[in-house]
Amino acid sequence: MTACWMAALYACCFIGITSAQEQGQAKPQEELMEMSVVVVNPSKTKTQTVPIKMYLPREVTPDAILNPDGLDIEFDSDNSMYYVYKDEVLLKPAETRVFDVEIRDVWNIAQERMDAMADQTRSLVERLKGSDFYEPAKVLEEAIVKSLNTITVTQNDETVSRRSHIGIYRSNLKIIDQVKEDISRLEKQLEIVIASPKPEVLEQSQLKTDSPAKNTTWMIIFIIMLFIGMLGGVFFFTWQTQAHATKNLISEARESAFPAGEHSDAGKE
């Protein structure tokens, strides 16, 4: 039992990460990384059976595992990480076994993505030209381009170890998040500029509110007076018509109430 536990400890202690270049091989088109698990049986007389379990970096998914070297792959939902394992590994006395898990290098930010972000930044700043936001936007553009260049340099640095390469990738993701926030700020500034009235429109509006010419003023006065005169004439003729109609209506009502025959009979009596 003690020997098995020691073997398991050996398995945990000899986990390494290497690349093709670190092993002296030519750099492939697709960068590969190897995570090695070394299992040692410390007993020189007994055959031992030990389990193996090695967690993979959180960025690694089954699609990125090119060769598990005979180990099984499983997902740990509690830790949200994949791991490779073997329930039983048979080791002869003093035997050492090495499992090399080949993984595609997923710790790189695509250059196309960064180029697109740089192009988007330049386009936004260009559209802000002539506004109050332009000068601050130029400063922000320089900071964004510098950050993207830093990512390109650091993630392609072949002098760092594979472990450092993974750490650099995680730091670069934070830089990408900051760049995205900066681009979003530029987009909001552009929305403000688009929503604001342009100087030409303001000038045209000011011209339209200027006082009219003298001839135009007299013409407007003449039209108003003519309109008032016509309106007065309409009112006068309407009043005359209504007065005449009212007079006729009263006469008809009187004749209807007191016919001519009744007036003469009343006089005789």
Side-chain angles (χ1 to χ4, degrees):
M1 184 70 175
T2 303
C4 289
W5 178 248
M6 289 178 64
L9 286 177
Y10 270 79
C12 293
C13 291
F14 287 87
I15 295 174
I17 304 176
T18 59
S19 67
Q21 281 188 306
E22 290 173 354
Q23 295 175 359
Q25 302 174 13
K27 183 177 180 180
Q29 289 183 348
E30 183 179 45
E31 184 73 16
L32 302 180
M33 298 177 66
E34 283 188 352
M35 300 188 69
S36 300
V37 184
V38 181
V39 189
V40 179
N41 184 358
S43 175
K44 297 181 180 180
T45 59
K46 294 182 179 180
T47 298
Q48 306 287 343
T49 300
V50 296
I52 294 177
K53 183 177 182 180
M54 180 182 70
Y55 279 93
L56 302 171
R58 61 174 177 267
E59 295 86 3
V60 176
T61 61
D63 292 340
I65 302 174
L66 304 179
N67 180 16
D69 199 14
L71 300 179
D72 298 318
I73 305 170
E74 193 57 73
F75 181 73
D76 186 339
S77 57
D78 293 332
N79 295 312
S80 298
M81 297 172 67
Y82 285 93
Y83 61 90
V84 291
Y85 72 98
K86 202 74 173 176
D87 291 332
E88 294 183 351
V89 177
L90 183 64
L91 297 174
K92 297 177 182 179
E95 181 183 6
T96 299
R97 292 190 62 181
V98 180
F99 296 87
D100 293 324
V101 181
E102 290 186 358
I103 301 172
R104 184 173 64 252
D105 185 1
V106 295
W107 296 278
N108 276 297
I109 299 172
Q111 187 62 46
E112 294 80 5
R113 179 185 179 188
M114 292 189 288
D115 291 342
M117 297 177 82
D119 291 341
Q120 183 182 8
T121 300
R122 282 189 286 268
S123 175
L124 289 169
V125 173
E126 182 65 24
R127 296 178 67 183
L128 287 171
K129 185 177 292 185
S131 70
D132 295 336
F133 296 111
Y134 180 67
E135 291 302 327
K138 286 292 293 181
V139 176
L140 190 57
E141 178 188 7
E142 293 177 2
I144 290 174
V145 172
K146 183 177 180 180
S147 297
L148 295 175
N149 289 338
T150 299
I151 294 175
T152 301
V153 172
T154 55
Q155 74 177 6
N156 292 304
D157 187 355
E158 298 177 357
T159 63
V160 301
S161 66
R162 293 294 93 187
R163 290 184 183 275
S164 298
H165 177 66
I166 295 174
I168 289 171
Y169 168 78
R170 292 171 179 171
S171 298
N172 287 341
L173 283 182
K174 296 179 181 179
I175 297 177
I176 286 292
D177 289 338
Q178 182 60 53
V179 169
K180 290 167 64 177
E181 290 181 9
D182 292 340
I183 291 176
S184 177
R185 190 186 314 169
L186 292 174
E187 290 175 337
K188 291 178 181 178
Q189 291 175 352
L190 182 60
E191 290 176 0
I192 294 174
V193 171
I194 293 175
S196 302
K198 297 182 179 180
E200 309 87 66
V201 177
L202 292 175
E203 290 178 3
Q204 292 178 4
S205 177
Q206 186 176 1
L207 288 174
K208 291 180 180 179
T209 57
D210 289 342
S211 300
K214 185 176 181 180
N215 293 338
T216 305
T217 303
W218 282 110
M219 184 176 295
I220 293 173
I221 293 173
F222 175 76
I223 292 173
I224 293 174
M225 292 179 64
L226 180 62
F227 174 75
I228 293 174
M230 293 176 63
L231 188 62
V234 171
F235 283 151
F236 175 76
F237 287 114
T238 302
W239 174 77
Q240 285 279 30
T241 302
Q242 289 180 347
H244 184 69
T246 302
K247 182 179 180 181
N248 292 338
L249 184 61
I250 293 173
S251 299
E252 291 176 0
R254 182 184 300 166
E255 291 177 1
S256 176
F258 304 101
E262 292 182 4
H263 280 288
S264 58
D265 292 340
K268 290 178 181 180
E269 291 178 359

